[in-house]
Amino acid sequence: MSKSLSLLLFSMKEISNQRIYQTLLAILIIIPWLLLIPTSLFMMDLGKVFMDMLFTFLHLWLLIYIFFLAAPLLARDIEMGTCNMFLTLPMSRAEYLWGRYAGVVATILPILLAYLISAVLAFEFAERTWPGYVLSGSGVQFTYGVLLILLPYLALTAVLFFIASTATGLSETTVFLFSVWLLCWSIPPVLGAMQEQNVAAKNPPWIESILQFINQLLPDISSSQISLHLAHHIPLENMAVIAYCIEHLAYSSLIMIVAVLLFQRRDLG
Amino acid sequence: MRPEYLAVNKLSKQYGNNLVVKEVDLVIRRGEAIGLLGANGAGKSTLIKSILGLVHSSQGSVEINASSSYLPEQPQMPISLSALSLLKFKCKTNRLPPSSAQQALDDVQLSKQVRNQAMREYSKGMRQRTSLALALCGEPQLIILDEPMSGLDALGRAEILQLLQQRKSAGTAFLMSSHIVSDMVQLCDRVLIMASGRVCETVELHDHSLEEAKDLEVRLAQWSHRHE
Amino acid sequence: MKSHSISGYIALSLLLLVSIHWARSNSHINQSPPPHHITWTENQMYWHKALAGAVPAIAADLAVLNIFNIYAQSQKEDISNRSLWWPQLYTEIRRGQAMDPYFRDIYRLTEGLLAFEAGKMEQAVEILAMSEQRLNSSDPLLAASFIAFQELKDSNLAISLAKRASAKPDATNLAIGFSSSLIQKKNGCKLALDFLKSRLDGMPPKYHKGIFLRIERLKKKDECKGLI
């Protein structure tokens, strides 16, 4: 078994043994059922509202996972010197960083699966409770959406590794990651708005150029149109989905390669 | 002649304008134990980290011709896991039989009950023993120890020293940094006294007696005073 | 801990729980009407989109919940004061529509609250007409057409909206019938018949029977006899 694969399994065990992870897992099994309560307040598109809420919680807990589980793990590794233990086993820095990244990403899967199963069962229940207002096949649409929404978070996790490979500690890592996330969150809709003629006419073109440049550097975590379309059962174009997957996987890999290069040059305390 | 496990040649490390390790030469052979003695900031830990590749040396070379392991000064371990899980992980990555993990934990006398508990529940001494077990697991040929006795009580130190001496007799080589001269005298054949990043003096130890320890302390004080 | 101190803590906790319950039920302060000058601008939409980021659909859902709240608050006011809430009602509906233009509840609330409760007919027609680009449903356009004809007395707009509603894939005989009667009133029997015939092309066969019935009915009308 390669060292990175061993570290992947070790990281999964390390993260999943933490109480915050286990609490998150338990909460996410209950959440879809609780979300049926606010859903019942709406009138017609109940299935869509339910899916909106599930997608929003997906974004929320993925962020919780990255900020409160992955970031402290990596910051502690590098700041406190836990990574020295791995590197002197021995293990190369590239093996360490890729193994940790794969481990952090793989540990999302059990909670994702639990959330998905619970949500699909809740959809089945909703479909029977509000026939006509929850479209059949919503569970499938939701599963598709979950897999697609996960991809930008793989890129954000890669950005976390990039930041941590040069940062001095948890505070620095968290502040930079939060800033990146904030920009990723708000720039794509602003850029979308700037494409409209009346807005473009009001703003000087260099503002859009700067925003476009920043946006190219950051991971595209918007995925807003994906969730919007799937919630309304509007089919996604296959080519666009393929391009979206390639974009995020390529971006994640590129950022991880840069992170490894930076980490290899770094003196560890 | 016994095989060379570690050869350090003119190793230097500079942070900005500050030269923290200056042209250190060092050779460790099979069954040999070398001590690094120096006051705080003398450059011992940086030298060890440069040897291990954790810190990039500014100049010089390091050649390790043996399986090696490292015990850091302040071991930081994944506290959500047990000592046994940690050692089993080392066995997997180094392709060692899983029994090596149990053996190493037996060697450092970490009780069977404790080794299955999460390390967040361990005392400092237990963590130190776990870290030592990690360094000893798989019987590496060269073990680099940075303050191995910190956190251990007198009895624990004696037990661990005895264990290290047994390993040394079996051919394991050691590079050990410590503040505690008496521990170093008991294990090491040769001690390098460091001050301001430089090896100031190499002292050969013959009978590992109390007198040698006292003599070493005097020399250390002299060198440290000179470089203040 | 002694048993009397435990019972003391329990008693104190119960007392605090009762206080919290009492305070919560008596601290309700009615929401005051929002400032009357609230208006919807396109710039607001961009800010809302930036804030909603990856989850614009939930922002639309929250807008709907806000609409429910505005309606509930307005019902607590005297009829003369209810209009203070309508600018905010319009803003929330616009926000919801901008965030999720596919959301049918928004159009239903536009028709139900903005048009018939708040009496903002022009604004309601404007929002309902926005559904054309996004929804396959004829409902909002038909409602807009009805409002334009009945309340705004704008036959041209009503006919245009009714025609667009009838062109939707789910357009029912109700939509087609309404359109044809509007056209007949405004433009006469010939154009109404042409419109009905044109519907046959884009309509699923199950709706053809109803269209034929309407054509027959139109032909039998006194004012149309001899014209067709």
Side-chain angles (χ1 to χ4, degrees):
Chain A
M1 198 189 297
S2 81
K3 288 179 181 176
S4 291
L5 191 58
S6 299
L7 186 56
L8 181 160
L9 297 173
F10 183 81
S11 304
M12 282 186 81
K13 205 170 171 185
E14 188 183 350
I15 299 170
S16 60
N17 271 4
Q18 291 183 36
R19 205 169 299 161
I20 178 172
Y21 181 88
Q22 290 155 1
T23 311
L24 195 62
L25 182 69
I27 288 173
L28 287 175
I29 292 170
I30 304 165
I31 283 288
W33 297 92
L34 291 179
L35 290 179
L36 288 170
I37 299 168
T39 300
S40 65
L41 295 172
F42 290 78
M43 297 182 301
M44 296 176 81
D45 286 335
L46 294 171
K48 168 262 180 222
V49 171
F50 186 47
M51 209 182 292
D52 292 344
M53 291 185 187
L54 287 169
F55 280 140
T56 305
F57 265 86
L58 176 70
H59 284 285
L60 192 68
W61 72 254
L62 281 168
L63 283 174
I64 289 174
Y65 179 84
I66 291 174
F67 277 93
F68 297 104
L69 277 155
L73 176 87
L74 206 61
R76 195 191 58 222
D77 263 17
I78 295 170
E79 184 182 13
M80 310 290 281
T82 314
C83 68
N84 295 355
M85 184 192 81
F86 296 111
L87 297 174
T88 54
L89 281 174
M91 177 181 278
S92 73
R93 292 188 186 205
E95 281 172 329
Y96 161 75
L97 221 57
W98 279 108
R100 266 305 202 204
Y101 176 71
V104 165
V105 167
T107 317
I108 297 175
L109 299 180
I111 11 179
L112 190 79
L113 196 65
Y115 186 60
L116 205 53
I117 291 171
S118 181
V120 169
L121 290 175
F123 263 118
E124 287 292 315
F125 174 80
E127 214 177 303
R128 282 175 201 170
T129 312
W130 302 304
Y133 293 105
V134 177
L135 300 175
S136 64
S138 293
V140 177
Q141 296 286 322
F142 177 67
T143 308
Y144 188 29
V146 164
L147 296 175
L148 292 178
I149 288 172
L150 179 65
L151 291 175
Y153 286 92
L154 302 189
L156 194 65
T157 309
V159 171
L160 162 69
F161 275 71
F162 167 74
I163 293 169
S165 67
T166 51
T168 54
L170 181 59
S171 326
E172 208 175 297
T173 305
T174 312
V175 166
F176 282 118
L177 186 66
F178 182 74
S179 311
V180 168
W181 171 77
L182 204 61
L183 289 171
C184 297
W185 184 264
S186 50
I187 285 184
V190 172
L191 276 173
M194 287 189 137
Q195 305 299 318
E196 292 183 26
Q197 278 182 344
N198 56 340
V199 183
K202 279 182 204 163
N203 295 300
W206 58 266
I207 293 183
E208 194 191 339
S209 306
I210 290 175
L211 286 177
Q212 283 285 11
F213 177 72
I214 297 170
N215 195 42
Q216 290 299 314
L217 295 177
L218 300 173
D220 173 13
I221 68 160
S222 65
S223 68
S224 57
Q225 290 308 308
I226 288 177
S227 46
L228 202 64
H229 279 66
L230 291 175
H232 289 284
H233 289 236
I234 300 168
L236 301 172
E237 284 172 38
N238 288 337
M239 200 56 214
V241 171
I242 292 167
Y244 171 89
C245 295
I246 290 172
E247 178 201 345
H248 288 105
L249 293 174
Y251 184 90
S252 309
S253 308
L254 178 69
I255 291 292
M256 276 305 293
I257 288 168
V258 177
V260 168
L261 290 174
L262 289 172
F263 191 58
Q264 275 173 340
R265 294 173 61 85
R266 179 182 179 157
D267 283 338
L268 296 163
Chain B
M1 190 180 266
R2 287 177 293 177
E4 270 182 18
Y5 281 171
L6 172 70
V8 176
N9 185 29
K10 301 261 179 259
L11 190 78
S12 298
K13 175 64 189 174
Q14 194 167 0
Y15 288 112
N17 292 326
N18 190 16
L19 202 59
V20 289
V21 175
K22 294 171 193 166
E23 298 194 335
V24 172
D25 290 308
L26 173 67
V27 172
I28 302 180
R29 295 175 191 282
R30 182 176 187 275
E32 220 177 12
I34 307 287
L36 289 175
L37 193 61
N40 286 337
K44 305 185 298 289
S45 291
T46 309
L47 173 61
I48 285 178
K49 282 174 184 163
S50 300
I51 290 170
L52 290 163
L54 298 174
V55 162
H56 297 288
S57 55
S58 310
Q59 213 182 321
S61 65
V62 175
E63 204 178 320
I64 298 178
N65 304 311
S67 57
S68 63
S69 68
Y70 168 56
L71 171 68
E73 185 178 355
Q74 289 172 322
Q76 296 293 335
M77 285 171 294
I79 54 169
S80 64
L81 294 179
S82 67
L84 190 59
S85 307
L86 181 62
L87 268 82
K88 279 185 174 170
F89 167 64
K90 180 172 181 178
C91 293
K92 268 187 196 168
T93 53
N94 288 15
R95 296 191 176 140
L96 300 168
S99 59
S100 307
Q102 294 283 10
Q103 182 59 50
L105 289 167
D106 286 343
D107 288 347
V108 297
Q109 297 179 6
L110 195 72
S111 74
K112 287 207 159 50
Q113 192 194 348
V114 166
R115 69 182 64 166
N116 286 309
Q117 288 172 356
M119 283 187 274
R120 71 169 76 89
E121 293 166 24
Y122 286 14
S123 67
K124 197 180 173 196
M126 286 174 186
R127 287 185 191 186
Q128 190 68 14
R129 281 173 192 267
T130 306
S131 187
L132 191 61
L134 192 68
L136 297 174
C137 180
E139 303 193 350
Q141 293 164 307
L142 170 67
I143 302 178
I144 298 172
L145 308 163
D146 197 353
E147 303 286 351
M149 306 301 175
S150 72
L152 295 176
D153 56 20
L155 188 64
R157 275 164 52 197
E159 286 167 2
I160 297 302
L161 260 176
Q162 197 185 358
L163 176 64
L164 297 179
Q165 278 164 339
Q166 282 171 3
R167 289 289 175 93
K168 189 185 160 203
S169 311
T172 306
F174 289 93
L175 175 63
M176 171 180 172
S177 127
S178 178
H179 287 100
I180 307 163
V181 177
S182 60
D183 291 345
M184 193 170 274
V185 166
Q186 286 183 60
L187 184 71
C188 297
D189 306 305
R190 205 162 70 236
V191 173
L192 310 183
I193 299 177
M194 287 188 75
S196 302
R198 195 183 294 276
V199 176
C200 306
E201 189 181 358
T202 304
V203 181
E204 297 283 342
L205 300 175
H206 303 289
D207 56 4
H208 309 281
S209 64
L210 202 60
E211 282 70 32
E212 276 188 330
K214 280 180 183 165
D215 176 54
L216 211 51
E217 272 176 5
V218 172
R219 285 167 192 253
L220 171 64
Q222 283 171 349
W223 282 113
S224 302
H225 186 68
R226 249 185 248 180
H227 283 87
E228 263 176 16
Chain C
M1 201 184 281
K2 288 177 185 170
S3 62
H4 66 266
S5 66
I6 293 174
S7 53
Y9 276 120
I10 292 172
L12 184 62
S13 304
L14 285 173
L15 188 67
L16 289 170
L17 279 173
V18 171
S19 319
I20 291 166
H21 181 72
W22 176 84
R24 278 203 181 155
S25 44
N26 287 284
S27 65
H28 187 72
I29 299 164
N30 278 342
Q31 238 175 288
S32 54
H36 202 62
H37 61 266
I38 288 179
T39 49
W40 172 259
T41 61
E42 292 298 309
N43 280 345
Q44 274 180 21
M45 182 178 77
Y46 305 129
W47 278 111
H48 286 306
K49 280 190 173 173
L51 283 175
V55 287
I58 197 82
D61 301 345
L62 292 175
V64 167
L65 291 179
N66 269 343
I67 292 166
F68 292 153
N69 180 46
I70 289 166
Y71 177 71
Q73 294 296 329
S74 69
Q75 296 307 299
K76 290 179 189 166
E77 307 273 355
D78 296 334
I79 292 174
S80 56
N81 284 337
R82 285 182 189 168
S83 62
L84 294 173
W85 291 90
W86 304 149
Q88 201 188 2
L89 177 72
Y90 173 67
T91 303
E92 288 299 333
I93 288 178
R94 280 305 301 265
R95 184 157 74 94
Q97 199 279 337
M99 290 294 148
D100 185 355
Y102 304 98
F103 195 7
R104 287 183 296 167
D105 286 21
I106 291 284
Y107 301 108
R108 180 56 63 91
L109 289 168
T110 303
E111 182 190 344
L113 296 185
L114 191 65
F116 297 122
E117 182 69 33
K120 304 285 179 190
M121 301 299 175
E122 282 180 22
Q123 293 172 339
V125 169
E126 177 197 8
I127 294 169
L128 289 168
M130 287 175 185
S131 71
E132 188 181 5
Q133 303 294 322
R134 308 291 184 151
L135 289 191
N136 280 331
S137 169
S138 60
D139 269 4
L141 286 172
L142 193 61
S145 171
F146 179 77
I147 293 167
F149 178 74
Q150 198 70 29
E151 306 291 336
L152 299 177
K153 313 290 182 203
D154 185 341
S155 302
N156 289 334
L157 181 61
I159 289 170
S160 159
L161 288 164
K163 277 183 174 175
R164 279 139 69 187
S166 306
K168 288 286 176 187
D170 76 332
T172 56
N173 281 319
L174 174 69
I176 295 157
F178 183 67
S179 304
S180 67
S181 60
L182 283 181
I183 293 168
Q184 186 213 332
K185 277 182 186 151
K186 171 81 179 163
N187 297 327
C189 299
K190 177 82 173 67
L191 279 174
L193 189 67
D194 288 348
F195 170 76
L196 283 174
K197 282 178 179 170
S198 74
R199 290 297 86 210
L200 285 170
D201 297 335
M203 199 60 65
K206 67 174 177 176
Y207 292 121
H208 286 187
K209 194 179 167 190
I211 296 172
F212 284 129
L213 268 174
R214 282 179 190 282
I215 292 172
E216 289 307 314
R217 212 179 291 162
L218 198 65
K219 283 177 178 171
K220 283 176 190 163
K221 281 191 173 178
D222 292 339
E223 62 266 35
C224 296
K225 278 180 186 163
L227 293 172
I228 301 171

